[in-house]
Amino acid sequence: MVYSSPDALDFQLADCPALPAPQRALLTTPAYFDVAYVINPHMEGHAGTVNKDVAWQQWKALRATYTALDFEPLVLDGVEGLPDMVFCANQTLPYRRPNGTRGVVLSRMHAPQRADEVAHYADFLGRHGYEVTPLPDAVDSDFEGMGDAIWHPNRYLLWGGYGFRTDRAAYEALAELLDVRVLALRLHDPDFYHLDTCFSVLSEDTVLIYPDAFDAASCDLIHALFANVLEAPGHEARELFACNAHCPDGTHVIIQEGCTGTNARLSAAGFVPVPVDTSEFLKSGGSVFCMKQMLF
Ligand code: ARG
């Protein structure tokens, strides 16, 4: 079942099966990272401006941050000709079914420039023992993995953004494929083209969002299921990708440096901001959340 507004809700969080937190981080090296085309507004004007050396240093610092938080990352090498492959949240949606089966649903990238990334993740994750599940052939929808589909912490319940990259119909297919409830959120500002640019789950009852990225019914849905909704200031959300932060453990929030207003709100709510610099990756419209994939 796919839900789009609070009036449609016929369940409570407690009715959703428990979902253990994913314990494995996957990172992809920026060996061939670049801004080579423009498929989101943030990439505009940045073609050819990536400092490869700085990008590597920032990526290594991010890897070290996950290691320091006890999530030693699994690392996949980037592939020549696929400059966005470093954004490893997008090619798959990892899942753990209530019966314990662990796998990934493969994305269907909206941008043709990114289509070939998916097979590399299918191979790699298949070799690491994950069940690899394509969307059924009959489904004719784009789907960009965890860029748009995000698990509710601790619950077998999926949040799904649509409007720019993923089609809403993809969630009907996923709801059936994974036998899961999906809460569909409509995005309407091109700067926030993926759900993970404006929605960062922190704990079972707390989320960090940029409200203007959503239509009214979607905002209401978020408020219906999270007791605490923190809001990032506009400048930090738009320019610094504050809502692309990632909280891997319910406490620490890895976030682009400079998000002072957001950090104050996080700290006041009991979270611990862990700033990192992803400035080279912001040129491509991505930051922390897009640069890792959490595997069950
Ligand atoms: N340049 C990439 C694109 O436009 C950035 C992807 C960032 N990933 C994300 N999950 N927001 O597809």
Side-chain angles (χ1 to χ4, degrees), residues 89-90 92-93 107 110 142-151 158-167 171 174 182-185 187 192-199 289:
N90 303 156
T92 63
L93 170 67
S107 298
H110 176 72
D142 293 339
F143 172 58
E144 292 208 351
M146 266 203 121
D148 276 321
I150 298 177
W151 293 103
L158 195 63
W159 292 88
Y162 67 97
F164 294 100
R165 298 295 184 84
T166 299
D167 297 319
Y171 296 118
L174 278 170
V182 181
L183 303 156
L185 301 176
L187 305 172
F192 301 94
Y193 61 93
H194 268 152
L195 181 60
D196 72 7
T197 62
C198 49
F199 178 89
F289 194 93

Side-chain angles (χ1 to χ4, degrees), residues 160-243:
Y162 67 97
F164 294 100
R165 298 295 184 84
T166 299
D167 297 319
R168 191 183 182 285
Y171 296 118
E172 305 283 351
L174 278 170
E176 199 171 319
L177 192 66
L178 297 176
D179 191 18
V180 68
R181 295 176 175 105
V182 181
L183 303 156
L185 301 176
R186 196 167 81 81
L187 305 172
H188 63 188
D189 178 332
D191 271 356
F192 301 94
Y193 61 93
H194 268 152
L195 181 60
D196 72 7
T197 62
C198 49
F199 178 89
S200 180
V201 295
L202 303 175
S203 68
E204 188 166 340
D205 52 17
T206 308
V207 65
L208 168 69
I209 66 167
Y210 180 58
D212 293 358
F214 300 98
D215 70 9
S218 302
C219 262
D220 291 348
L221 200 49
I222 295 170
H223 281 272
L225 282 145
F226 285 98
N228 309 317
V229 178
L230 311 182
E231 297 187 358
H235 160 73
E236 295 179 13
R238 210 176 281 277
E239 320 295 339
L240 300 177
F241 271 52
C243 299

Side-chain angles (χ1 to χ4, degrees), residues 39-40 43 84 87 90 114 147 165 193-194 196 284-286 290:
I39 55 171
N40 71 57
M43 299 173 91
D84 274 333
F87 298 112
N90 303 156
R114 298 198 61 187
R165 298 295 184 84
Y193 61 93
H194 268 152
D196 72 7
S284 187
C290 328

